[in-house]
Amino acid sequence: MATWSEFTAEAPRIAEIFVRRHAAAGNLCMLGTLRSDGFPRISPIEPRLFEDMLVLAGMPGTTKFRDLARDPRFCLHTATMDTNVSDGDAKLFGTVVDLQDKEVHVRFAQDLFEESGFDIRGQDFDHFYVADLTSASTVEAGADHLDITIWKPGEGERVVQKR
């Protein structure tokens, strides 16, 4: 597994596409989790890059966070409206760790307030999920092919072309 900073060092192309698509979609991504019956669940989420961490935070008590508490595996996909994928698209796979560091929570809440005006300062976090990445991929459209970039920890990026 790799932290966000390890991932960006090993997979700069995939990280760049993820960050670009994440910003272009107003930080919206789609989160895949596993329900208690084993079926997949897809939920919208606005993950944040904070202090070299990919944080999956949000409203407490939601089913997606209950899913992650039970089974920490996830898939995170950049929201894509373009069926031609002309600006690329990225998927991240991994597990979450519930970081219960109150000082990090305080800094996160302050950063969120300064950036967005959304004020959760002074509130307790019932979860603060930080991603550990196990793999990632992107799709980019070429003139007559797709470039699929794949990453796994310690293996760097490799590109597969599909025609």
Side-chain angles (χ1 to χ4, degrees):
M1 288 192 250
T3 64
W4 178 257
S5 58
E6 292 166 339
F7 164 69
T8 59
E10 289 185 21
R13 181 71 185 144
I14 296 174
E16 184 273 322
I17 292 170
F18 177 85
V19 169
R20 184 180 72 237
R21 292 299 312 133
H22 179 248
N27 298 338
L28 178 66
C29 288
M30 300 309 290
L31 176 69
T33 59
L34 292 171
R35 300 180 339 180
S36 61
D37 61 9
F39 283 91
R41 182 188 316 276
I42 302 294
S43 306
I45 191 169
E46 295 177 36
R48 295 184 52 82
L49 299 171
F50 175 72
E51 294 184 358
D52 288 328
M53 296 179 285
L54 175 60
V55 179
L56 305 180
M59 186 182 307
T62 59
T63 54
K64 62 187 157 206
F65 293 120
R66 283 195 300 271
D67 290 348
L68 289 171
R70 185 180 51 261
D71 186 328
R73 295 176 293 173
F74 72 89
C75 175
L76 188 64
H77 186 264
T78 53
T80 304
M81 298 291 294
D82 176 10
T83 57
N84 294 320
V85 197
S86 56
D87 195 31
D89 146 299
K91 293 183 204 95
L92 307 178
F93 302 87
T95 60
V96 292
V97 174
D98 192 3
L99 180 64
Q100 289 300 310
D101 182 330
K102 301 292 184 193
E103 292 178 11
V104 171
H105 298 180
V106 168
R107 292 193 309 271
F108 179 86
Q110 183 63 39
D111 186 68
L112 179 65
F113 177 72
E114 289 171 5
E115 185 176 304
S116 69
F118 188 70
D119 196 0
I120 57 172
R121 296 173 298 172
Q123 295 182 25
D124 287 332
F125 289 78
D126 64 344
H127 60 266
F128 190 88
Y129 290 126
V130 175
D132 273 334
L133 300 175
T134 57
S135 63
S137 65
T138 60
V139 174
E140 296 174 277
D144 64 346
H145 67 278
L146 293 176
D147 284 335
I148 302 166
T149 305
I150 302 164
W151 167 82
K152 290 187 179 181
E155 296 181 15
E157 295 175 312
R158 66 182 172 91
V159 178
V160 176
Q161 282 195 349
K162 300 280 185 174
R163 295 194 181 273

